[in-house]
Amino acid sequence: MRLLPFSKIFRLWAAALGMGLLAGCAHYRLGSAGQLPFQSIYIAVVYNQSLAAQVAEPATRELRQTFLQEGNLQEANQADADVTLEVVLSDYQRVAASAQVGNSLNAQSYALTLTAKCKLVDNRNGNVYFKDRPVSVTEEAFVQGGVDFNESEYQSIAKLARDLAVKIKDTVVTTW
């Protein structure tokens, strides 16, 4: 019995590994796992009932951008969309997360929490997929090195809007 040279064994092993990897990826699909019962969505302008100033516009913009990147849903006008998504910003909290060294009365950072209530309605038959579903995100705003808190909070609002949009999108496209 003759032994195979090492280079042939290595090539056979590499070919088998490559075929195994390709077979494993054959059923991969980009996007959400389940089949959604709708293909188009209308995203209403976000309504702000919270105490966060000027957050409705960035929240609406980020929400629409996030759904455009989803790929499984098409954004449509309200008359043509299968479903309508309504988002109400219901709460905004600012809590001191850490104090300045040497002065416990001055905060060095704040935990900012933005909460929304979401409603998804089927425009074709009026069925409500979910209503008043809470979605919440938290971001930390730092006040140090001469940074004004208003500037820090303003920058954090943009991140809160992005994170909230991703969580809402995940809520809509995940099979419930």
Side-chain angles (χ1 to χ4, degrees), residues 88-162:
V88 176
L89 301 175
S90 58
D91 190 27
Y92 177 71
Q93 293 183 358
R94 179 187 315 139
V95 178
S98 65
Q100 289 181 355
V101 176
N103 188 349
S104 62
L105 297 176
N106 288 338
Q108 185 171 345
S109 68
Y110 291 89
L112 308 175
T113 302
L114 183 62
T115 303
K117 291 186 178 180
C118 305
K119 179 179 178 183
L120 187 65
V121 179
D122 194 321
N123 295 337
R124 301 165 293 190
N125 56 23
N127 286 344
V128 177
Y129 290 107
F130 54 79
K131 180 180 179 182
D132 293 332
R133 170 122 359 134
V135 178
S136 184
V137 292
T138 300
E139 176 69 19
E140 197 161 352
F142 294 95
V143 184
Q144 59 187 11
V147 175
D148 181 24
F149 174 71
N150 291 333
E151 180 183 332
S152 179
E153 183 178 35
Y154 179 75
Q155 292 171 356
S156 295
I157 289 288
K159 176 95 168 67
L160 282 170
R162 259 190 315 277

